[in-house]
Amino acid sequence: MIYTAITDTIGGRESGVARSSDGVLDIRFSAPGSPRIGTNPEQLLSAGWSASFASAIALAAFNRNIAFAGEVSIHAEVEIEIDPVSYTLSVRLHVRLPGIERALAQLLTAEARRLCPFSSTIGRGLAVAVDLD
């Protein structure tokens, strides 16, 4: 183990609060579309997954001595859906690798799917699409 994130949450997605043990994260929750100030779990997953995936791409590139012409950017979409039985999530990561040809970008994103802990663990049970812009 290299890190443990610890948070305490009171309440739920409509009006809860969450704080990290180190005090860096201190957020309020609100339901999507609500006029209340706050975020929702899907936005947090979207931000966390895309940041982790961008780092995994950078690691894959570093391991191959590849430099980018600019920053890796990812437009992430996390959708929550409901069917008659349960709620489900799906994830789309739209990846932009400046100055990298498409075949190499595909190789790097495939390797990042293995390196990124979100993709390699959570992604096994979710519909995850990775597109190159």
Side-chain angles (χ1 to χ4, degrees), residues 20-108:
S20 60
S21 60
D22 62 4
V24 173
L25 180 74
D26 187 354
I27 58 171
R28 290 187 284 177
F29 290 104
S30 65
S34 167
R36 283 181 35 88
I37 294 174
T39 189
N40 59 67
E42 293 75 29
Q43 288 174 332
L44 294 173
L45 179 60
S46 181
W49 198 320
S50 59
S52 181
F53 200 79
S55 292
I57 290 171
L59 178 59
F62 176 81
N63 290 341
R64 296 174 181 277
N65 293 319
I66 298 168
F68 297 114
E71 290 287 327
V72 173
S73 64
I74 299 177
H75 172 87
E77 299 172 9
V78 172
E79 293 181 340
I80 185 167
E81 302 164 13
I82 187 167
D83 62 28
V85 179
S86 64
Y87 290 94
T88 59
L89 294 173
S90 62
V91 176
R92 274 188 303 282
L93 303 174
H94 302 277
V95 178
R96 185 172 193 157
L97 304 178
I100 302 295
E101 68 168 57
R102 188 162 193 80
L104 182 54
Q106 288 172 326
L107 179 74
L108 292 174

